Amino acid sequence: MSPAGPAWPRLRVLQALWALLVVLLAPWRLWAIKNTQECTWQVVLNNFETVGKKDASDRFVDQEPLYTVDKVFSLLVDAPIDPDETYLGFPYYLKINYSCKGELSIDSCWVGSFYCPPTSFTATIYDAIATESTLFIRQNQLIYYFTGTYTTLHESNRGSERWVRVLANECIKKLCPVHFHSNGSEYVMALTTGKHEGYVHFGTITDGRVSFELLPRQRSVCNGILVVNCSITWAVFIAGDYNLLLLVEIEDPSTRKYFQVVSYDLVSDYLVVLYTIPEFIPDARGLEFLMVLGTESYTNFPMVPKGMSYNPYNNLLFIWGNFLLQSYNSENFIYLADFPKELSIKYLVNSFYGDTAIVTETEEIWYLLEGSYQVYKLFPSKGWEVHVSLQVMQQSSLYAPNETMVTLFYEDHRLYQLVYLIDNQQGRLVKRLVPVEQLLMYQQISTDYLLERQGSHLTLSFTNFCPFTVMRLRDLPNPQIYTRQERYRAQPPRVLEPGGFHSDNSLAVYQGLVYYLLWLHSKYDKPYADPVHDPTWRWWKNKKQDQVRGEGGESVGGPSPDPPSPSPCPGTVFAPHPVPQDYYFYLASNWRSAGSVHVDMASYEKIYDLKAENELPERIFLDKGTSYRFSVFLTAGEPEPLCTVQSKVGLAVVLADPECIEAVVKEKVLVNRNSVLFWVTLSDKRFCFDQGISGHHLMKTSMLLKVVGSSGHCFQNTHQGPRMQGNLMVPVLIGCPPGKRLAFDITYTLEYNRLQNKHYFDCVHVDPEMPCFLFRDIFYPFFLIQDLVTGDSGSFQGSYVLKVVGGGPTLDTIKEYSEEDIYRFNSPLDKTGSLIWTTRNTTTTEDSAFNILSHNSLGIEWLCMENSPCHDTIPHSIFASEFFFKVLVSNRGVDKSTYCDYQLTFQLHIHGLPLSARRAFLILMVSASLIVGLVILYVISCLLSPYVVKVCNVLCWKINNIVAWESYIYSVASDTRAFSNTSGTKSGESSGGISRVVSMVAGENKTDTKETLRKKPIS
C-alpha cells in the first residue's frame, strides 16, 4: 500500500483519456436519449480509396454518424467514474464531434461580429482539455469550463448549471494544453482571432478558480516581432522558465508566408525570435537526419507547421506538420528524414519517459524513440498484420474487421488505443495495448532474414542487429531514497472459515486497522519529534499487546494504540486490557479464534528497506550534492578480442542539463566473459537550484542511458512480454525531495539543557507533549531532519534563523505578531527595548537584521525587555509567571548545505518569568507593610493579652451567674406552682414564706458581689 505523498510534479499519463471520453459523452448522452433523431455523434473515419487517384485529394476524411451512444457507455465497465474515488488526469488535445439540430444543454449562443465572422453554426466540440480539477471545451468560438465532479456530468438536470462560460467577448480558435502543473496551479491557453489576433489568453486554475490573462501585456506578438500581420498557430508553456514558446505564422504581402518560433518571458514581458522555419522541406539525400543550418538543399515540398510538443525533462522540442523537427535548445534544429513528407501529423503523444507516438491525418501510427533519429511505422505495417493475425487466431475480443481509432495515449509507460469496434452491427469502445516492442520485432524479422541451403533443405536464419546479448543493471541502491515513495504493509485479517471468504466483520476490522494506520501516518507530522522515528511507534511504544474487539464481542489479537477520533470504524474498538499475542496466535492456529478472524499485527508496518528489482527507479530525486550510483553489465554477441569488445559495446550517458548534473562513467573489460562492466555515477553540481519547500518547485531534467547501436534493435523477453533494451531514460528532479521535514528534537534538547544548566525544572503541571524550560536558564534548542520515506533521522547540522512570531500567557491567548513587531522582538538592531531574547553568537544575516544559529550555537538567553509582550507577566496563581512563545525556525537563505527550505513553527513553554522592577517594588512594599502590620499586631496582642484574659474571665463569670440564676428562678417557680396546686388552704403562708426566702437570697447575692468588687486590685 502506498499512500499519496507530498505534491511533487506528477506525470499525468493518459489514464484520464477514459475519464475524458466519459466527460465528453456523458452529459449529452442522457439528454439525447429523449430525442435520438435530433443529435448524432461523429467519429473520424478514413477513406483510403481515393488516395493517389487523379483529381483527388491525398487526404480525405469521411465522418460517419454514430447513434448508439447509450450502448457505448454501457460497455465502459472499467471507466473511472466512481464518485468516491479521486482520479488524476492531465490535459490532452482531443477532437470529438457531436451535432444537434436544436440548442445544447449548455448556453451555446452565437456571438458573431465583425471581428469574429460567423460561419455555419454547429454543436461540434472542437477542443477538450481535462486538467486534474477542471474540464474545458471549445464549441464554435465559445469556451466553457465545468466545475464539480465528473460524475455530475451524467446528470442532465443540473449539467447546464455547472458549465461556466469564459472569455465571452473573445473569438477563440484553439485551446492549447499545459501538461504539467506548477506553483500549485494548473494552466490552459486559448488562442484568439479577430480583434485580439496575436495574443494568448493564459488561463490559471487555482483551487477550482479560473482566471485568464491576456499576453503579451504591453503589445501584441506582431508588434513585438515588428511585422504587420501574424497569427499564433500553437503555444507551449515551459513552467520551469516561466516562458511561452509561440509558433507564429507571418503573412508578408510582398514576399510569402513563413513561420517563426517566438519566445515570450512572462516575468520580463520580453519577446524574442528564436528560429525561422525553412519555407521548404530539406533534401536529406538518403540520410536519417539532417542538421538544418540554412546551407542545405531543399525540395519543392513546402513546410506546413501545425503544432509543437515540448518535454521538460530532456528539453526536447518538436515542431510538427508534414515534417518533424527536433531541438534541445529551441534554436538549433534537426530534420528527421524518416518521416514521409507526403503525410501530415495530426497530433503527438509523449510518454515523457523517452517515447513519442505520432498520429497522422490518415490515422497512421508512427513511433520515435527519443535520443535516436529513426522513426518507425507501426500501423499499417507488416508487423501489425502479423500481430492482428495472431490475435484473431486467439479469438481476441479486442480486434474486429471494422474499427476506428478514437485516440492514442500513454499509461504507465505503455502505449494504448481507444478504439471503436463494430462487430455484428454492434458498436463498443475498448482500450487496448499497442505492443510497440512486438511490432518492431515482427517488422525486423519480416525484413531481415536469410535463407541458406544446408544439404538438401533450406535453413532460415535471422540477422541480429543488437550489439549485445546480455544487459544487466547491478549494484542498484535501495530505490525509496530516490523515488520518495512512502510504503506501508497492511495485510488483511486471516479468516478462519472453511471457505476462506471475508465477512462483514472481518472487512470492518480490516478497514479500522488501515484507517488507524493512515491516521498515525497523518498525525506523525507534528513539530515535536517522537523519540522513535516511525509513525507506527505509538502502537508498540509500551510493548503491550491488546485486543481488538469486533461486533458481538469477537476478539482479535492486536497492539495498544492511542484511540483516534473519530473511531476507525463503527464496529471496531481498541480495548485497554493487555493480553498475550502468543495466546491469540495459538487460538488462530487451532481455528478457535472468537469471531473466526485473526490479525497478525506484525504485518502492519512501514516499509523502509525496499530492495531494487534490477531496474532503474521510475524517477530520481537529487538534493544538493547527492549522487546515484549503479553499474551496467554488457555481454557482446560473440567472443571477441579485447579491442573489439570495447569498440563493439559502448555506453553513452546523455544529460539534459549538463551544467546542473554530471555523470562519471568508468569501464572494466572482462575478457574471459566477453563482457564490459560500466560504473555510472550521477551527481548534482550544487548550484543549479535555489531553496524550495519539500517536494515543490523542483527542476526537471533527465538522464538517458544508451547503448550505442541498440535503438529499435534490442529486446528482452519478460513475464509481461518483450521489453526494449539499450535505451533507458530516467527523469531527474533537482531540489528538496518530498518527505523531508524539520522537527524540534525535544528529547535531546532536554538532555543537553539539563547537562549544561546543571539542573532542570519542569512546570508544576507537567505536560508530556510540551515540557517547560526555566526563564533564567540558557536555552539550547536542537532540531532533527526526519526522512519520512527511509526512516532516517539525524541532527540538523545546517544554519537557521529563529524568530518569535507569536505568544501569550496561555495557550488560548496566543496571538500572531506583525512584521514590525517580529523585527522589534527578535532583531539585534532593535533600539526600542523590545527584545525577547538574545544570543552570544555574532553571526547575522547579510542585512544584520537577525541572528544566525546552528547546532553549535552558544544558546539563547531570555530577556523579555520592557516593551516586549512577555515583560511583566502577571502570574495567575501562587506559582511563578509563565509564557507560551510561538517560534519560527527557518534555514531560508542562510543554509548552504541543502536545497530544502525548512520551516518549522512550534510552541515553547517558558516558566519562571520575573516581574518588572516597578511591580516587584510594589509587591515588596505591600508585602513589607503587611509583615510590619502583622508584627505590630503581634506585639500589641502580647502586651494586652493579660488584661484581655481577665476581662474575658469576668465576662464568662457573669454570664455563668446569670445563666445559673435564671435556672434557679425557673426551678423554684416550678416547685411553687406544683405546691399551690396540691394545698390550696396553705397558699397564703407558703407564698409569704417563699417570698421571704427569695428576698433573703437576693440580698445575700448582692452583698457578696459588692464585697468581691472591693477586693479587686486597681491597676
Side-chain angles (χ1 to χ4, degrees):
M1 180 178 64
S2 179
W8 60 280
R10 185 183 182 92
L11 176 61
R12 290 166 280 180
V13 293
L14 270 181
Q15 182 178 0
L17 257 294
W18 276 102
L20 179 57
L21 186 68
V22 171
V23 164
L24 292 175
L25 296 181
W28 298 285
R29 170 188 64 109
L30 298 177
W31 181 84
I33 290 176
K34 301 177 182 179
N35 192 354
T36 56
Q37 302 300 324
E38 295 291 332
C39 300
T40 59
W41 283 100
Q42 293 181 339
V43 177
V44 175
L45 300 177
N46 296 288
N47 191 333
F48 301 98
E49 296 177 356
T50 59
V51 176
K53 290 186 178 181
K54 185 178 181 182
D55 299 329
S57 175
D58 289 338
R59 297 187 303 272
F60 181 81
V61 177
D62 183 18
Q63 299 189 1
E64 296 290 339
L66 301 176
Y67 297 98
T68 57
V69 181
D70 53 342
K71 295 182 179 179
V72 169
F73 267 86
S74 64
L75 300 174
L76 294 178
V77 293
D78 59 344
I81 57 176
D82 189 350
D84 297 330
E85 297 291 340
T86 301
Y87 298 98
L88 303 179
F90 76 95
Y92 187 73
Y93 178 80
L94 182 66
K95 180 179 179 180
I96 295 181
N97 297 336
Y98 180 74
S99 300
C100 295
K101 294 181 180 180
E103 285 295 275
L104 290 174
S105 57
I106 60 176
D107 178 21
S108 56
C109 58
W110 184 260
V111 191
S113 64
F114 68 95
Y115 67 87
C116 193
T119 57
S120 60
F121 175 76
T122 177
T124 299
I125 298 175
Y126 291 101
D127 303 333
I129 293 178
T131 68
E132 293 183 3
S133 60
T134 313
L135 170 67
F136 292 87
I137 64 171
R138 179 175 70 90
Q139 183 188 26
N140 301 313
Q141 84 280 20
L142 308 179
I143 303 298
Y144 302 87
Y145 71 88
F146 178 80
T147 56
T149 60
Y150 281 170
T151 53
T152 58
L153 285 170
H154 289 274
E155 303 177 14
S156 59
N157 58 342
R158 58 174 179 172
S160 59
E161 299 175 350
R162 298 181 177 266
W163 287 101
V164 180
R165 182 176 169 186
V166 289
L167 304 175
N169 297 323
E170 298 293 333
C171 187
I172 306 301
K173 64 179 180 181
K174 187 175 295 183
L175 289 178
C176 295
V178 178
H179 296 274
F180 295 91
H181 60 79
S182 64
N183 301 321
S185 299
E186 299 168 307
Y187 305 98
V188 68
M189 293 175 290
L191 306 183
T192 67
T193 186
K195 66 177 181 179
H196 283 149
E197 187 75 64
Y199 287 92
V200 176
H201 287 282
F202 187 76
T204 303
I205 306 103
T206 305
D207 297 330
R209 296 187 300 269
V210 180
S211 61
F212 281 89
E213 180 184 9
L214 190 64
L215 300 176
R217 300 183 182 92
Q218 301 297 329
R219 53 183 177 173
S220 69
V221 174
C222 305
N223 295 333
I225 60 177
L226 303 178
V227 298
V228 178
N229 297 320
C230 74
S231 176
I232 301 176
T233 303
W234 198 270
V236 170
F237 177 57
I238 304 177
D241 301 331
Y242 218 61
N243 187 38
L244 278 179
L245 290 182
L246 306 174
L247 181 60
V248 182
E249 179 183 1
I250 301 171
E251 296 184 10
D252 191 347
S254 61
T255 56
R256 67 196 187 286
K257 283 186 179 181
Y258 60 98
F259 292 83
Q260 288 183 336
V261 179
V262 179
S263 173
Y264 172 69
D265 193 313
L266 275 73
V267 177
S268 63
D269 197 37
Y270 179 70
L271 279 167
V272 61
V273 177
L274 298 180
Y275 183 70
T276 300
I277 300 176
E279 183 178 359
F280 297 98
I281 293 179
D283 186 2
R285 300 182 183 276
L287 300 176
E288 291 182 350
F289 66 94
L290 183 65
M291 188 74 181
V292 181
L293 301 175
T295 59
E296 58 279 345
S297 59
Y298 293 89
T299 65
N300 295 326
F301 282 85
M303 271 191 167
V304 185
K306 297 178 62 177
M308 295 188 299
S309 177
Y310 181 78
N311 187 344
Y313 288 104
N314 56 9
N315 304 320
L316 184 58
L317 174 68
F318 286 108
I319 302 178
W320 47 267
N322 60 340
F323 62 92
L324 200 58
L325 292 177
Q326 73 173 29
S327 173
Y328 287 96
N329 60 4
S330 304
E331 297 182 3
N332 301 310
F333 283 83
I334 297 175
Y335 170 66
L336 302 182
D338 279 357
F339 183 78
K341 56 183 176 295
E342 294 81 11
L343 299 176
S344 180
I345 296 176
K346 188 177 181 180
Y347 58 87
L348 260 66
V349 183
N350 201 321
S351 70
F352 301 102
Y353 281 89
D355 305 277
T356 300
I358 303 168
V359 178
T360 68
E361 294 288 353
T362 55
E363 299 299 326
E364 293 186 7
I365 302 176
W366 293 70
Y367 174 77
L368 171 65
L369 195 62
E370 295 180 3
S372 66
Y373 306 104
Q374 295 177 333
V375 185
Y376 301 94
K377 186 177 181 179
L378 301 181
F379 171 81
S381 64
K382 293 182 179 180
W384 182 267
E385 294 176 358
V386 173
H387 171 69
V388 172
S389 300
L390 294 176
Q391 295 298 317
V392 172
M393 291 174 61
Q394 297 175 4
Q395 297 182 351
S396 174
S397 62
L398 300 179
Y399 296 84
N402 191 0
E403 63 180 38
T404 301
M405 184 178 70
V406 178
T407 190
L408 199 69
F409 60 94
Y410 274 99
E411 179 180 315
D412 296 332
H413 310 258
R414 310 189 78 179
L415 187 62
Y416 287 89
Q417 282 179 306
L418 188 61
V419 184
Y420 184 79
L421 303 180
I422 300 178
D423 193 7
N424 296 327
Q425 297 182 351
Q426 295 293 327
R428 56 194 176 97
L429 280 171
V430 297
K431 182 183 78 170
R432 70 187 185 194
L433 177 68
V434 179
V436 177
E437 292 82 0
Q438 286 186 349
L439 295 178
L440 294 179
M441 288 178 61
Y442 294 155
Q443 194 161 340
Q444 179 177 322
I445 292 175
S446 63
T447 55
D448 301 311
Y449 64 90
L450 181 64
L451 289 174
E452 296 180 346
R453 180 171 296 277
Q454 295 184 356
S456 61
H457 61 277
L458 295 176
T459 302
L460 179 65
S461 62
F462 299 94
T463 304
N464 186 7
F465 294 97
C466 185
F468 58 86
T469 58
V470 176
M471 178 179 179
R472 296 194 184 98
L473 298 176
R474 295 181 171 180
D475 305 319
L476 293 167
N478 290 348
Q480 286 180 283
I481 189 174
Y482 297 101
T483 61
R484 312 305 300 170
Q485 291 181 344
E486 298 186 57
R487 295 175 179 264
Y488 285 86
R489 179 181 291 110
Q491 297 181 358
R494 180 184 174 189
V495 181
L496 305 178
E497 294 288 347
F501 294 103
H502 280 277
S503 62
D504 292 341
N505 183 50
S506 64
L507 294 178
V509 171
Y510 186 46
Q511 178 191 13
L513 293 173
V514 172
Y515 175 91
Y516 195 83
L517 189 68
L518 297 179
W519 180 82
L520 289 175
H521 171 80
S522 62
K523 184 182 177 182
Y524 188 65
D525 188 9
K526 59 181 184 177
Y528 282 62
D530 282 337
V532 178
H533 180 36
D534 192 325
T536 62
W537 169 72
R538 292 179 178 271
W539 261 0
W540 48 265
K541 65 177 181 178
N542 296 325
K543 297 183 179 180
K544 293 181 180 180
Q545 302 298 326
D546 289 356
Q547 63 182 356
V548 181
R549 297 191 179 272
E551 293 180 326
E554 296 86 351
S555 60
V556 187
S560 174
D562 295 332
S565 179
S567 177
C569 63
T572 305
V573 294
F574 298 90
H577 307 291
V579 291
Q581 186 178 9
D582 294 340
Y583 171 70
Y584 286 106
F585 178 76
Y586 167 78
L587 292 179
S589 301
N590 292 274
W591 289 56
R592 295 182 177 272
S593 295
S596 300
V597 176
H598 174 70
V599 177
D600 181 13
M601 292 312 302
S603 63
Y604 287 77
E605 61 181 348
K606 191 169 185 179
I607 302 175
Y608 295 112
D609 56 350
L610 188 68
K611 303 300 181 183
E613 298 180 353
N614 296 323
E615 61 182 10
L616 292 176
E618 184 179 1
R619 65 192 65 88
I620 295 176
F621 288 86
L622 290 181
D623 197 357
K624 198 169 191 175
T626 56
S627 303
Y628 181 81
R629 298 179 178 88
F630 63 99
S631 62
V632 181
F633 178 82
L634 295 173
T635 300
E638 297 179 359
E640 302 285 352
L642 174 62
C643 59
T644 308
V645 173
Q646 288 180 304
S647 61
K648 189 173 182 180
V649 181
L651 181 69
V653 179
V654 182
L655 303 178
D657 296 280
E659 68 277 5
C660 300
I661 55 177
E662 62 179 354
V664 178
V665 181
K666 298 180 180 179
E667 69 172 354
K668 180 180 180 181
V669 180
L670 307 175
V671 181
N672 58 337
R673 304 180 63 178
N674 195 34
S675 305
V676 182
L677 182 63
F678 297 91
W679 285 279
V680 181
T681 303
L682 178 69
S683 305
D684 170 69
K685 286 189 174 181
R686 305 182 65 92
F687 55 82
C688 260
F689 188 80
D690 199 1
Q691 287 179 296
I693 302 175
S694 176
H696 291 75
H697 312 296
L698 301 171
M699 176 184 174
K700 299 182 181 69
T701 184
S702 66
M703 173 189 68
L704 176 62
L705 196 70
K706 180 178 180 180
V707 179
V708 180
S710 64
S711 298
H713 301 301
C714 300
F715 305 94
Q716 178 188 21
N717 291 321
T718 67
H719 66 283
Q720 296 181 345
R723 184 178 63 177
M724 198 172 297
Q725 274 193 316
N727 233 67
L728 299 175
M729 188 265 199
V730 182
V732 179
L733 298 166
I734 301 176
C736 184
K740 282 193 172 184
R741 73 183 190 101
L742 186 68
F744 182 35
D745 189 359
I746 185 62
T747 304
Y748 187 71
T749 298
L750 289 174
E751 179 183 348
Y752 191 83
N753 277 264
R754 182 184 289 109
L755 179 64
Q756 293 297 318
N757 296 316
K758 310 301 181 183
H759 61 261
Y760 172 71
F761 298 105
D762 205 342
C763 289
V764 177
H765 303 288
V766 178
D767 183 4
E769 298 292 333
M770 188 186 300
C772 294
F773 294 91
L774 192 61
F775 177 86
R776 69 171 182 263
D777 289 345
I778 302 297
F779 177 59
Y780 301 92
F782 290 91
F783 302 93
L784 288 174
I785 297 298
Q786 293 184 331
D787 194 326
L788 304 181
V789 177
T790 64
D792 295 334
S793 180
S795 176
F796 175 54
Q797 304 292 321
S799 302
Y800 62 91
V801 173
L802 185 145
K803 301 177 185 178
V804 177
V805 297
T810 64
L811 286 173
D812 298 332
T813 58
I814 293 179
K815 67 176 184 178
E816 303 286 340
Y817 299 147
S818 63
E819 291 295 331
E820 295 79 7
D821 290 340
I822 293 175
Y823 179 85
R824 291 190 300 109
F825 299 158
N826 298 275
S827 176
L829 301 180
D830 176 67
K831 304 299 181 183
T832 63
S834 304
L835 279 179
I836 292 179
W837 62 277
T838 187
T839 180
R840 287 177 287 175
N841 285 36
T842 58
T843 307
T844 61
T845 55
E846 294 181 358
D847 56 359
S848 301
F850 298 100
N851 292 300
I852 297 179
L853 306 177
S854 67
H855 67 290
N856 292 323
S857 297
L858 300 177
I860 291 175
E861 180 182 357
W862 302 108
L863 298 178
C864 289
M865 298 181 70
E866 183 177 0
N867 294 324
S868 65
C870 57
H871 179 73
D872 194 21
T873 303
I874 302 175
H876 297 282
S877 63
I878 62 174
F879 303 107
S881 303
E882 57 185 15
F883 205 86
F884 292 86
F885 291 114
K886 188 175 182 180
V887 180
L888 171 66
V889 174
S890 174
N891 69 335
R892 178 72 177 177
V894 298
D895 187 13
K896 306 300 182 184
S897 63
T898 179
Y899 288 138
C900 292
D901 179 7
Y902 292 123
Q903 286 193 3
L904 172 66
T905 302
F906 64 98
Q907 294 172 354
L908 194 62
H909 192 182
I910 304 297
H911 70 121
L913 274 73
L915 299 173
S916 64
R918 181 177 179 180
R919 190 177 298 275
F921 180 74
L922 178 61
I923 294 178
L924 177 62
M925 294 300 296
V926 173
S927 301
S929 301
L930 182 62
I931 293 174
V932 170
L934 292 175
V935 171
I936 295 174
L937 181 62
Y938 176 75
V939 172
I940 293 175
S941 63
C942 291
L943 294 175
L944 298 180
S945 60
Y947 303 99
V948 174
V949 171
K950 290 180 180 180
V951 172
C952 292
N953 291 334
V954 172
L955 291 176
C956 291
W957 182 81
K958 288 184 177 182
I959 292 171
N960 291 331
N961 285 341
I962 293 172
V963 172
W965 173 251
E966 290 181 352
S967 300
Y968 176 75
I969 293 299
Y970 177 78
S971 62
V972 171
S974 299
D975 294 340
T976 302
R977 285 193 298 269
F979 179 75
S980 63
N981 291 332
T982 56
S983 182
T985 57
K986 297 181 179 180
S987 60
E989 295 180 0
S990 299
S991 299
I994 292 172
S995 300
R996 287 193 297 271
V997 171
V998 172
S999 300
M1000 291 176 63
V1001 172
E1004 291 176 358
N1005 289 337
K1006 291 181 181 180
T1007 304
D1008 293 340
T1009 303
K1010 291 180 180 179
E1011 291 178 358
T1012 303
L1013 292 174
R1014 291 194 194 102
K1015 293 179 182 180
K1016 289 182 183 279
I1018 300 174
S1019 58

